[in-house]
Amino acid sequence: MNNTLKKSIQEAASLLQKSRFTTAFTGAGISVESGIPPFRGEEGLWSKYDPRYLEISFFLSRPEESWQVIKQIFYDFFGKAAPNRAHLVLAEMERRGMLHRIITQNIDNLHQEAGNTRVYEFHGNSMKLVCLACSREFPYGKINLDHLPPRCPDCQGLLKPDFIFFGEAIPQEPLAAAYDAADKSDVFLIIGSTGEVMPANQIPPLAKQNGAKIIEINPEESNYTRRITDIFLQGKAGEVMSMLAETLFSTPLDDN
Ligand code: APR
């Protein structure tokens, strides 16, 4: 580990130990080491698939074509992904009272599988399918995706993954939780996000405006780095979070 990163990790750990309310704000980058590709960047999903298939208007007008892409991107991939070290460190931080909320843009359920309980999913979750006609919900594993688009076993209505498509509103609960976190966090830990997508990308700047210290983990600079980031831990989430955990969990908590 280079000295700059080592010093920054110690600074970050000290901030996190003193923080009364810490929020982790995560993007696709935290799940890359779990085998789930990010959306942007040279290996990004949007360099292979046209994002218009994930627009709600396209889905409703041409559900079979949209579902063919959805299945390839999310359901053929996701089933095999497991939480990586970064997810596991966040779960340990919650257990030790060092992490109070996760606002995630991810729909892969890996924070919950790692053991975090206070997770708010800004873009929903891919584990459930919802019937657009009768609103019944089904675990995705219970629905046969060999025939697309999948139909509701009860009423034959169109089934949609329970995540947010482009053009859909953010669900009220995670939206309120995100703004509340931006209001009261002492530390905002941004892990693996470009900061490209509205309105999620408004949350970290709001936290900064309200006095939060911003710690960011990313192998590359993002839209946040030069604008709001106070401590930039440049590197992969799994590696950096493991190094952070060594300092965070071994150093006795300050007396004050
Ligand atoms: N560790 C940490 N960060 C990483 C890693 C890694 N191992 N690998 C890549 N990254 C970073 C990239 O540098 C990039 O900044 O993760 C980020 C991934 O960016 P995006 O793919 O744009 O992901 P995200 O910011 O979460 O996208 C937001 O866009 O398409 C929509 O709904 C989708 O939730 C998604 C939203």
Side-chain angles (χ1 to χ4, degrees), residues 27-30 32-33 38-40 46 105-106 123 166 192-195 197 217-220 235-237:
I30 196 172
V32 167
E33 289 152 274
F39 291 97
R40 295 169 188 82
W46 298 147
Q105 299 168 88
N106 300 341
H123 294 149
F166 292 115
S193 182
T194 45
V197 172
I217 299 174
N218 199 317
E220 295 163 24
K236 293 182 175 180

Side-chain angles (χ1 to χ4, degrees), residues 96-152:
R96 291 172 183 241
M98 300 174 125
L99 180 68
H100 303 86
R101 192 167 295 174
I102 293 182
I103 307 292
T104 187
Q105 299 168 88
N106 300 341
I107 60 174
D108 56 31
N109 209 54
L110 290 182
H111 286 304
Q112 294 90 326
E113 287 175 34
N116 280 98
T117 61
R118 295 183 214 128
V119 182
Y120 292 87
E121 297 168 305
F122 215 73
H123 294 149
N125 185 301
S126 59
M127 299 294 126
K128 279 187 295 187
L129 306 185
V130 183
C131 175
L132 296 183
C134 72
S135 307
R136 272 216 49 194
E137 295 177 351
F138 304 90
Y140 87 93
K142 296 270 187 249
I143 298 293
N144 180 345
L145 295 181
D146 293 338
H147 307 289
L148 300 176
R151 293 278 167 193
C152 174

Side-chain angles (χ1 to χ4, degrees), residues 154-175:
D154 283 9
C155 77
Q156 294 310 304
L158 175 62
L159 291 181
K160 172 184 171 291
D162 193 26
F163 57 70
I164 302 304
F165 283 52
F166 292 115
E168 279 196 286
I170 304 301
Q172 192 46 43
E173 190 201 18
L175 192 63

